[in-house]
Amino acid sequence: LTPIVLYHYRDELRVMSHTDRLMAVFAGFWMCLHFSLIALSLENTRIAVTQVLVNTSPLIVAILETVFLKARLPRIVWIGLFMAILGSAVIGADGFLSTESILLAAPENLGLAATDTGNPTLGVIFALVSAGAAALYLVTGRKARGTVSLIPYLWILTGAGTVTGIAILLLTATPAFGHSTEAYFWLMMLAFGPQLITHSGINYAVAYLPATIVT
């Protein structure tokens, strides 16, 4: 993104307000924390449990958007949110309490079996905090995207996320080098697919729709 931003968006960066710049940086921090906590959760519990709990973020977004951004959400949205959260709670509790859950017991090659090591309770906590971080990332982004165009916003967002990620690697003494070629391949796929394409789409949408609807 850097060559594109420096060539096409230098004027916008120059006139961008300090508040908008700070909002984009904070959003990048929360985004990185969200992904990092997902990784920590996956070390301790099943993918399905992590995903169900992380997907409670729309309810947190709705609360934050209503309280801080003064958004007015239709009643049908709140009904849908609570139905989704209730369903997540049922599935999550089933996977957490049962060692051989009908809903979650799956072939090893699907990656849904319980991990051999780790603390399931800790995995649940990491997933829930990750949901909160995701909510803060999107609500902050919603505020910033009202005045900042997509590409400069993504540049600041992912730049701040990169700095945060490096800090986490250093603080946890996690090596960034020496992994297998296959590992780096899948990391690149994550960066170009879910991150650059999907999350760019999400950050495009929050400029035009309430963050609750986007989540």
Side-chain angles (χ1 to χ4, degrees):
L1 291 171
T2 299
I4 299 171
V5 169
L6 294 181
Y7 187 77
H8 291 287
Y9 297 96
R10 277 185 296 181
D11 291 340
E12 183 174 346
L13 289 174
R14 197 175 294 116
V15 299
M16 190 182 297
S17 72
H18 180 67
T19 300
D20 287 340
R21 196 177 291 113
L22 205 57
M23 282 286 186
V25 168
F26 276 131
F29 167 79
W30 291 118
M31 178 187 70
C32 181
L33 198 63
H34 162 61
F35 291 137
S36 300
L37 288 168
I38 285 178
L40 287 169
S41 178
L42 290 174
E43 289 182 2
N44 290 279
T45 191
R46 303 174 185 179
I47 294 173
V49 174
T50 296
Q51 196 62 27
V52 163
L53 295 174
V54 168
N55 284 343
T56 60
S57 61
L59 180 59
I60 305 171
V61 170
I63 294 168
L64 291 174
E65 208 167 27
T66 303
V67 173
F68 293 106
L69 301 185
K70 308 302 179 185
R72 294 177 62 86
L73 300 173
R75 183 179 299 175
I76 191 67
V77 173
W78 286 104
I79 293 171
L81 279 170
F82 280 105
M83 288 176 66
I85 299 305
L86 181 61
S88 293
V90 171
I91 297 170
D94 180 69
F96 181 59
L97 297 174
S98 172
T99 55
E100 293 295 334
S101 161
I102 293 174
L103 290 174
L104 296 181
E108 287 289 334
N109 61 357
L110 291 180
L112 294 180
T115 55
D116 295 328
T117 60
N119 184 331
T121 303
L122 202 58
V124 166
I125 292 170
F126 283 140
L128 288 172
V129 178
S130 175
L136 287 166
Y137 148 52
L138 287 168
V139 172
T140 307
R142 166 76 171 157
K143 188 72 174 174
R145 280 283 289 124
T147 53
V148 181
S149 58
L150 180 65
I151 301 300
Y153 175 74
L154 290 175
W155 184 66
I156 299 172
L157 175 84
T158 52
T162 298
V163 173
T164 305
I166 292 170
I168 290 172
L169 288 178
L170 294 174
L171 288 171
T172 58
T174 303
F177 304 103
H179 304 295
S180 68
T181 303
E182 184 181 5
Y184 287 114
F185 169 78
W186 289 116
L187 286 170
M188 292 299 292
M189 291 301 99
L190 282 170
F192 285 111
Q195 182 59 46
L196 193 60
I197 297 174
T198 305
H199 273 266
S200 295
I202 288 170
N203 285 296
Y204 173 83
V206 293
Y208 304 99
L209 294 169
T212 304
I213 302 299
V214 175
T215 53

